[in-house]
Structures are given as structure tokens and as C-alpha cells.
Amino acid sequence: MRIAITATGAGRVAIGDPDGPERHEVDREHLPALVARLEAEHAPRWVWRDTREWAPLLLAHGVRVARCHDLRLCGAILAWSTAVATARDEAPARPEWLPPGPAEAPVDEPVAPVASVAAHAALFELDAPSEIRSGDGSRPPSLADLDAEHDRQLALADAADSPGAMRLLLAAESAGALVAAELRTAGLPWDRGEHERVLEAALGPRPAPGRKPDRMEELARAVREALDAPSLNVDSHADLLRALRAAGIGVGSTARWELREHDHPAIEPLLAYKRLARLWSANGWAWLDEWIVDRRLRAEYVAGGTATGRWATSGGGALQLPKVVRGAVTADEGWSLVVADASQLEPRVLAALARDPAMAAAGRGRDLYRAIVDAGVVESRDEAKVALLGAMYGATSGDSGRLVPRLGRAYPRAMALVDDAARTGEAGRRVTTLLGRSSPLPPTSWHETQARANGVDATAADERRARSAARDWGRFTRNFVVQGTAAEWALCWMASLRPRLAAMSLPPGAPPASASGPAFERMPHLVYFLHDELIVHAPEGLTGAVADAVRESAAEAGRLLFGEAPVEFPLDLDIVRSYAAVS
């Protein structure tokens, strides 16, 4: 059963089941109670334009839905996928009221930030009209519009090269949209006091507005003295580069790796200054004031935020939490963090995609990199890691360039898969993940470079630029198929875990996690996700059951994508009070 939701204007909401009697129009304030009743009675798949329009309102009132179909995200997949190319040419066009997905901007244009569901300062002010909350300014679609677009998308999925795979991808992407909304609502447990102690230990006391922390000022003075540049603005890249060169330090940039190649008294204080500047700007006191709300980091996750389907953030920086502040990620009293990391996910996905028996066997029940060493392919675990990453990302020089050919001899199917993806990209064509997400085409500038190289008056420089551009795009498509399929595995992992967690409830006498909100305070819940890692906030009496659910969901994700392929997806799993305690 499916039930669609859309705004009708003037604070009213329409709900309709195209094949049944459930049709309602209510004020927004009455929507959560109605959704809760229909969810309990029918367990439908909710159909809406954009999960960000409705999930925050429902979650704020303690209402979770099990399933949805996000027309915006699913429409974006279908608009690109080579798996539905023929059917798409014959199908009706995507409607104008359906905004593009976050990863649909042309590659040669900057991607605009995804509009927040609401301004951060008004996180829980949930009475804004949905047509404003969606961020695109278009009229809200009618229930008939939603039904028609849902039918169009399902017809495309059914006409795909592999209909089951495309249906799974659309379901997983929509589940990911629900998870992203739930992560923001529940929030990542955060101990502000611990974070402030870290800042004070590293930077000194909180500075007055407009001033830098004491420790940064001390390091800046040390840099100026070492470079004999008393008026140097250490934060100016151009000024710093001139001062370094004037002091006889021949650098082409101020990158950390390049600075470390030089022995000069300015280098150590400069590197220390850069580390502290990053901490202060990215996770300092101003970040704490903005993003820690009621003992929680409520970051803005962007499901499907990159071309490969990996997530992004449009605020809060949750995908880039430095280790130095992870001690602030601390469970509530009576609760723990179940932290799970999919070990060596992308190499294992490559083995499963390629159906490479030798690589699959290497990762069975053990460290994949160590198994490559034991097989005599390379001499050390570090070399194995460098070689595999080089193969997946297209490295052709240094240690990677030297070691990758050895992998080709040991694991021919796996290396043939990524090599073929690279050749496809070099020719300017798309590649597609296991379930059906396709890469974008190269940007206009890429095609112009290739055209110049093929012109009658092309120079040797034109040809070199064209070859270089082709290789660069080939490196992108080489990795796209692996990283994109790994993202699909992670979506299926979370989609499988959500209902398992929802079936658990707070043990008698255990304290609720009140800061997580009414939807999550009495059940274990996801609070963090980073590509191949997730964290569940769990009552202490349920941590064992949660750990089992996390493992079972990972195994199910492998079966959903790869069937009985003999590839294991093991997890590194820890049950801790603080994220900093993870080994």
C-alpha cells in the first residue's frame, strides 16, 4: 500500500491512497497523529516529493515511518542511469515540480549547497510551508502529480536492465533519506565540557571576539621570528609562500607534505600553527555554539550528496570529525555507543563485483591485505594496501605504479573490471554500479579539450592535454564502480538495521535518552554514519543485541547485493562509552 503526502497551501496537507479509501486533508499540526495512525494500521510506503519536507516534522512529534519513496532522489538516479536509457527515451519527462537531486549539477559547475530543511537556528520551528522548506520555490505537487510520478519511476525501474537491482537501489536510497533525517533529529551525543577541555588544552582559553587563541598567537610569533618576517600574516597563503622562499625554503606550496621535506626552524611551529588553525576554525568554540544543541551534534547530512551515492554534509562537518575531538562523543548515562566499521569495504566490494575467486579467498576470515602478502604478491601489508588503492584509484607512478601490475597477475578478474571502467571513462562514456547508479558524463571543458586534440590544426600540447584529461576521467570512472557499489552496500546495511533497532525497546528501569527526542529516547538508534562506519546509541542492557543486529544487517546487505558470492564483509565492532575509546 502506498500513501502520498503533499502540501495544499495555507498550512494544509493532503494525504491520499490512490487504490483505497484513505484520503484526508488536515492542518499541518494534525499531520503527525494522522500519519502515526495510518502507519500503525497499514504500514504503507509513503510517497513524497522530498523526505526533508516531512520527516523532520514527524520525528519532532515522535513519529517514525518504516518506508518511503523519495521522488527527488529516485528521480535523480533514473535520470542518469544507463540501465534505463532506452525506457527513459520513451517515458514522459520528469516533471518541473520535482527538483534535481544533490549530485545532479553539471560536473564543471559548482554544486550549490542543499537547502536546509529549516534554518539551523530554527531547528524545531516546524510550521513553515513545505514549499518553502523544500528550498526550490516551486508549487507543491498535487496528490495526482505524486501518483503519476511514482508510477513513471516504477515503470522505468521495471524496464531496467536488471529490474530487481534498480528497485533495490530506489528502496535503499529512500531508506537512506529517512536515516539522514533521523540522524539529524536524534543527534550524535556530545559532551560540550569535554570538547572545551580539548580546546583549552590545545589552544588556551577561549579568545575574545576578533582575537586568535593564545597558543596560535605564540606559534605565529615563532614563525615570524624564524623567517625574519615580523609583519607576516601567517594566514595569507601568498604572503607565507613569499616569506618561506625569501628564507631559502624552496617550496611550491604550503602543503604539509611539502613543508616536511625541508629542515628549517620555521617548519615545526608552522605545521603546529596549521593544525591548531584547522581545529579552531572547523571545531572550535564558534562551531560548538552553532552545532551542539541540547547535548547533541545535529549535523545536516545530504543523502546521495555525491555522484557515487556517497553522502555529504551541508552543515556541521559530521563527515570530518578529527580524532582530537572524538572524546566529546560520549553516550548518555546508562547508554553506550556500538561502533561498527566495515573492514576493507571497497576491496571486498571489488572482489564481489568481479567475481574474482582468488581475491575473495584472500579476504575470507582474515585481513585481506595480509592475505595478499601471504600469497607472495607483495612483501608487506603496507605495500598491499598501496597497491589495491592504486588499482582502484588509478595511480600510475611511485609505489602504486610499481605494485599494481603484480595485482593484475594475481587477481586478473578484479583488475580487468577496474581497467575496463577506466577505458570507458577515457572514451567519455558512463559507467554504472552494480544496482544501477551511473556516473555523470565528462564536463563541457573535457569534450572541448578532446575536440581540439582531434582538429586539423592540433598541436602536440593539445594532444598531451587531451590524453591527460582522458586519463583523469578514466581514474574517476575506475573508482566510481567500486565506490558507488560500496555506497549501495552501506545503504542496504542501514536499511536492514533500521527495523531491527525499531523492534527493540528500553529495558525496564533504564534511563531514556531524552535529548534524542521522542522518536528515539526509548529505543536504540543510529546517531552517526561515515561511508563504511556507523554508530548506534544503545541502552546498556541492549548492547549485545544491537551488536548482533549490526552484524546480521551487514551480512544481509552482502546477500542482497551479491547473492551467494563467496565474499565476506567483516566488521570491526566496539562497545564503548566514548568514541575516543575505539581501537
Side-chain angles (χ1 to χ4, degrees):
M1 182 178 183
R2 71 188 188 198
I3 300 179
I5 300 181
T6 191
T8 61
R12 301 279 286 174
V13 181
I15 294 184
D17 165 20
D19 301 317
E22 295 289 1
R23 289 185 176 270
H24 310 268
E25 185 169 330
V26 297
D27 292 334
R28 286 181 62 86
E29 64 191 61
H30 298 135
L31 177 66
L34 177 58
V35 169
R37 177 177 70 79
L38 295 175
E39 177 75 13
E41 292 176 358
H42 303 296
R45 186 177 300 279
W46 297 92
V47 177
W48 44 47
R49 172 171 61 174
D50 189 337
T51 301
R52 300 170 304 168
E53 294 182 37
W54 303 108
L57 170 62
L58 299 175
L59 292 168
H61 288 82
V63 178
R64 292 179 69 255
V65 300
R67 301 183 302 167
C68 80
H69 183 100
D70 188 303
L71 293 170
R72 179 183 68 102
L73 291 176
C74 293
I77 290 171
L78 294 166
W80 285 93
S81 178
T82 61
V84 298
T86 301
R88 188 171 54 238
D89 291 341
E90 301 171 356
R94 186 165 60 171
E96 292 184 359
W97 53 261
L98 191 62
E104 283 193 278
V107 177
D108 52 355
E109 295 181 9
V111 177
V114 175
S116 175
V117 172
H120 182 73
L123 178 60
F124 297 110
E125 295 175 10
L126 298 168
D127 56 352
S130 68
E131 57 265 36
I132 295 175
R133 290 163 60 79
S134 68
D136 67 354
S138 66
R139 69 167 181 85
S142 67
L143 289 177
D145 290 334
L146 295 181
D147 291 338
E149 174 59 11
H150 186 244
D151 288 342
R152 184 189 78 90
Q153 292 188 7
L154 293 189
L156 285 174
D158 288 341
D161 296 341
S162 177
M166 182 56 71
R167 286 269 196 156
L168 176 58
L169 176 56
L170 300 185
E173 187 83 342
S174 297
L178 289 173
V179 171
E182 291 168 359
L183 289 174
R184 178 178 170 92
T185 298
L188 182 62
W190 204 273
D191 184 335
R192 183 185 178 106
E194 176 61 27
H195 191 136
E196 289 177 333
R197 284 189 286 273
V198 168
L199 294 178
E200 291 178 6
L203 298 166
R206 182 171 186 168
R211 298 289 303 274
K212 291 179 183 176
D214 290 347
R215 181 59 179 148
M216 287 178 61
E217 293 284 13
E218 293 170 6
L219 290 167
R221 284 194 293 271
V223 172
R224 294 186 189 105
E225 291 173 2
L227 295 177
D228 194 21
S231 61
L232 171 65
N233 177 5
V234 183
D235 296 316
S236 168
H237 177 268
D239 291 353
L240 180 59
L241 202 57
R242 281 194 294 270
L244 289 167
R245 290 170 177 170
I249 306 171
V251 291
S253 73
T254 60
R256 181 175 54 186
W257 65 267
E258 188 170 359
L259 291 171
R260 281 180 170 166
E261 293 181 352
H262 298 272
D263 182 15
H264 189 279
I267 299 301
E268 284 305 315
L270 178 55
L271 291 174
Y273 179 90
K274 290 166 73 73
R275 285 194 299 271
L276 295 187
R278 170 64 181 168
L279 174 63
W280 182 50
S281 62
N283 298 103
W285 289 276
W287 180 87
L288 271 173
D289 292 342
E290 182 175 5
W291 290 105
I292 304 305
V293 179
D294 189 21
R295 294 177 288 141
R296 294 293 189 264
L297 166 58
R298 305 187 191 275
E300 297 176 1
Y301 290 88
V302 183
T306 69
T308 62
R310 272 191 166 190
W311 286 17
T313 55
S314 62
L319 302 185
Q320 296 178 320
L321 293 180
K323 288 185 177 181
V324 69
V325 302
R326 289 186 177 184
V329 181
T330 304
D332 291 356
E333 288 297 324
W335 291 62
S336 294
L337 304 176
V338 179
V339 184
D341 182 356
S343 176
Q344 303 156 352
L345 176 59
E346 290 190 5
R348 294 174 189 275
V349 164
L350 173 57
L353 269 176
R355 294 296 197 268
D356 191 309
M359 183 175 281
R364 197 168 303 132
R366 52 183 171 165
D367 181 339
L368 176 60
Y369 299 138
R370 174 56 57 188
I372 293 174
V373 176
D374 294 343
V377 180
V378 294
E379 296 177 1
S380 70
R381 189 181 184 281
D382 286 344
E383 284 190 342
K385 186 173 183 178
V386 166
L388 263 178
L389 292 177
M392 290 187 294
Y393 286 87
T396 57
S397 60
D399 287 341
S400 292
R402 175 176 58 85
L403 298 170
V404 166
R406 301 186 193 178
L407 289 182
R409 292 188 291 271
Y411 311 113
R413 289 190 185 180
M415 295 306 104
L417 186 143
V418 289
D419 288 344
D420 182 64
R423 285 190 292 270
T424 300
E426 290 171 4
R429 300 193 302 271
R430 287 178 171 151
V431 296
T432 299
T433 61
L434 176 67
L435 296 186
R437 192 189 305 268
S438 293
S439 64
L441 290 171
T444 303
S445 57
W446 187 94
H447 290 285
E448 291 172 348
T449 298
Q450 304 305 315
R452 280 195 299 272
N454 291 321
V456 294
D457 56 349
T459 66
D462 290 332
E463 294 174 354
R464 284 194 300 273
R465 279 191 291 269
R467 286 193 298 271
S468 176
R471 286 193 298 270
D472 287 345
W473 198 256
R475 281 190 284 271
F476 167 66
T477 54
R478 170 188 291 271
N479 182 246
F480 184 97
V481 291
V482 179
Q483 188 179 104
T485 303
E488 292 166 354
W489 180 92
L491 283 173
C492 290
W493 184 24
M494 291 190 293
S496 177
L497 180 59
R498 280 184 75 241
R500 286 180 164 90
L501 297 179
M504 303 180 194
S505 58
L506 194 68
S514 56
S516 295
F520 303 107
E521 63 182 359
R522 304 192 65 80
M523 58 174 279
H525 47 277
L526 282 159
V527 292
Y528 187 66
F529 172 61
L530 175 63
H531 306 323
D532 55 7
E533 179 181 359
L534 57 79
I535 301 177
V536 178
H537 192 216
E540 289 179 355
L542 291 177
T543 54
V546 168
D548 289 342
V550 170
R551 294 189 185 97
E552 291 164 3
S553 298
E556 183 174 19
R559 290 192 298 271
L560 282 170
L561 265 69
F562 304 112
E564 298 306 317
V567 177
E568 296 179 351
F569 294 93
L571 302 178
D572 295 325
L573 195 144
D574 294 275
I575 300 173
V576 295
R577 285 272 299 139
S578 169
Y579 193 17
V582 174
S583 55

